[in-house]
């Protein structure tokens, strides 16, 4: 996935910190987000990195089927740690 042309709205620091901790502790996340295709997506992913490009922030993660995802952080609808990853 790549960024789009809509202005980026930074997410709050608490959510960003939660993403950093999930990466550090290798915790799966159950997330819902709007894809660039305009569709709503839901998956349990393994977050691997946070990247910044063109003044936008992205989560890099592995989807449940092994695909590498690049999701713009302000496209998240909801996020929670997957309890099965404890």
């Amino acid at each position: 996935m790549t960024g789009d042309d809509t202005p980026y709205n930074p997410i709050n620091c608490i959510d960003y910190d939660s993403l950093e901790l999930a990466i550090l502790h290798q915790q799966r996340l159950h997330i819902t987000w709007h894809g660039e295709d305009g569709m709503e997506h839901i998956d349990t992913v393994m977050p691997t990195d946070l990247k910044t490009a063109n003044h936008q922030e992205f989560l890099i993660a592995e989807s449940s089927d092994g695909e590498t995802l690049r999701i713009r952080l302000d496209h998240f609808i909801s996020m929670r740690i997957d309890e099965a990853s404890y």
Side-chain angles (χ1 to χ4, degrees), residues 4-79:
D4 62 28
D5 294 331
T6 61
Y8 179 75
N9 295 311
I11 65 169
N12 69 53
C13 291
I14 292 172
D15 289 338
Y16 194 90
D17 290 347
S18 295
L19 288 169
E20 289 182 317
L21 287 172
I23 293 165
L24 182 66
H25 295 290
Q26 298 180 344
Q27 295 174 310
R28 292 194 172 277
L29 298 173
H30 183 79
I31 59 173
T32 304
W33 74 96
H34 285 117
E36 291 181 30
D37 57 6
M39 303 288 292
E40 185 174 297
H41 300 269
I42 301 171
D43 200 356
T44 300
V45 304
M46 178 59 77
T48 58
D49 204 357
L50 292 164
K51 297 283 185 182
T52 302
N54 299 323
H55 306 288
Q56 300 171 4
E57 297 170 305
F58 298 88
L59 173 69
I60 309 302
E62 184 178 316
S63 70
S64 58
D65 64 1
E67 177 185 357
T68 299
L69 302 173
R70 183 177 179 223
I71 306 167
R72 207 170 97 164
L73 298 187
D74 64 342
H75 288 185
F76 278 41
I77 299 168
S78 67
M79 170 186 70

